[in-house]
Amino acid sequence: MSSEYLSEDPSMRACLEESSKCIGCGTCLTNCPVYAQDHREEVTARGRNRHIGDLLALPGSEKAAGDIGKCLLCGRCTMVCPRGIRNDLIVATLRQRLVARNGLPFAKNIAFRKIMQDRAMMGRSVRMAARLQKFLPGEACVVVGNAECAAVPTVRRLPLFFSALAKGRRLPAVANVFLSETLPEFIPTAGHFGVCRRVVYFSGCATEFVLPRTGEAIVRVLTEAGMDVLFPHAQGCCGLAAFANGDAETASAMARRNLEVLEKLEADDIVTGCATCGSALRDIWPRLGRDPEERARFTALAAKVRDASEVILSAADPGAFPCRSRLPRGTTITWHEPCHLGRHQKVSREPLTILRRTFGEDFHELKETGCCGFGGSFNLYHYSTSKAISALKAQNLRETAAECVVTSCPGCLIQLVDLMARHHIPGRVLHLAEAITFRG
Ligand code: SF4
Ligand code: SF4
């Protein structure tokens, strides 16, 4: 297939144009966590850009197809690229080409098109896992969430719904009661502050089904900070996992369903505490519209999306900083910056400012902001590489000597639990909102 033919397709043309900006400098190689383990240029941004025509024309070999899958979409290559090339979008387009040729693999087809697209079905699947997980051993080394749930074994080995792929992983236990079963659709402000904003809370699937206490904590902080919170129960999966795996059609259907729900609500901001969802809503949804009008609607919605840390900090009076720790006095913490927050949304300052000002000398900063190695399905299909990448994170976490690791992405949290347990780093992993209160 010639590149002339490819250039007739708008998404292929955009991919070719983006890729053509590459000047071959190689800066991305030295910053790519996968290359640091794999040492093959084929898995890097430059390697793909050099052969983009052949790759878009569909790689014949299994190895070439596998290399397209071997990217975390962490965004580090884009961050350092002198041309600002969106290599994550190039990879997503290449994966779409593979799906167009081969169809979705069976497991991804079930996951994206049958389960994640249907909230009720996802709920039933997780409920079944929640019943079965009690037969699995708990893990005492790492605790998920705030002290209030310390008595519950919140980390389990080999959860059954991942058993074929688990390979000894530790995962947070899934919830028995989901977030939408405990939170109503309207939560009024706790009234500590005079200025009341009206915000929509977009929870994301992992917070709804696995980490509902995180969702409760985010809504609590928002209401403490003077916000009325709308929590539409009809919201669904953001679709980022489907998009990242080349299933743009399902991702677009998921995004459109959410658009219908969110557009109807009158609110100042759409707030999420999930870095991955935030990145989807802000950056990916506007690319999933089927025509200019739909893309404009997504773009208008994206302009209202904020990470929880952004709205918390903007509500805070810098002169009398209102946030206080909810952890026992003297508890030391560190911060793991999710790639989908720092790189994809460029939100770095806000969580750092909140944590520095809230915890003072008890905040022990990590010396890097590197990827934890999760990368969604990357973690399932390339677990040995994922573990190797996470070993560096484990070493740096140990050096901080912090008792708690704070983050704001359920995917990172899952990886942190696993890497800390494997490296025998005792501690607690929790969301930023679980660590603070906005008392005013
Ligand atoms: S997105 Fe991350 S893993 Fe993928 S090529 Fe870029 S730096 Fe490497
Ligand atoms: S850093 Fe950017 S311009 Fe340089 S080789 Fe990588 S993708 Fe190309």
Side-chain angles (χ1 to χ4, degrees), residues 252 255-256 259 263 281 285-290 293-303:
S252 176
R256 292 198 307 275
L259 183 68
E263 256 185 346
L281 271 62
W285 284 8
R287 302 172 196 279
L288 295 175
R290 293 166 297 181
E293 192 246 334
E294 205 167 73
R295 286 193 283 278
R297 288 168 62 199
F298 276 125
T299 302
L301 193 88

Side-chain angles (χ1 to χ4, degrees), residues 28 31-35 43-45 48 70-78 87-88 91 378:
C28 51
N31 285 275
C32 174
V34 176
Y35 183 70
V43 297
T44 68
R48 282 186 291 268
K70 208 161 186 189
C71 171
L72 289 154
L73 303 175
C74 68
R76 191 152 285 271
C77 47
T78 299
N87 290 299
D88 58 325
V91 170
F378 180 97

Side-chain angles (χ1 to χ4, degrees), residues 262-324:
L262 299 174
E263 256 185 346
K264 290 191 190 113
L265 303 171
E266 283 190 22
D268 300 302
D269 302 305
I270 297 167
V271 182
T272 180
C274 169
T276 303
C277 292
S279 156
L281 271 62
R282 277 175 151 163
D283 182 38
I284 302 303
W285 284 8
R287 302 172 196 279
L288 295 175
R290 293 166 297 181
D291 51 49
E293 192 246 334
E294 205 167 73
R295 286 193 283 278
R297 288 168 62 199
F298 276 125
T299 302
L301 193 88
K304 296 170 83 173
V305 176
R306 304 275 180 278
D307 182 68
S309 64
E310 293 177 278
V311 290
I312 292 167
L313 191 64
S314 67
D317 176 352
F321 195 71
C323 297
R324 303 283 176 269

Side-chain angles (χ1 to χ4, degrees), residues 9 72 85-86 88 115 127 141 148 165 231 259 282 297 322 337 384 388 390 404:
D9 179 304
L72 289 154
I85 296 172
R86 286 293 303 268
D88 58 325
I115 298 177
R127 190 91 69 194
C141 174
E148 63 207 37
L165 299 160
F231 176 46
L259 183 68
R282 277 175 151 163
R297 288 168 62 199
E337 180 181 87
S384 56
S390 70
C404 296

Side-chain angles (χ1 to χ4, degrees), residues 73-75 336-345 369-372 412:
L73 303 175
C74 68
H336 164 71
E337 180 181 87
C339 295
H340 277 106
L341 191 65
R343 254 68 64 210
H344 291 267
Q345 297 187 64
T369 57
C371 179
C372 62
C412 296

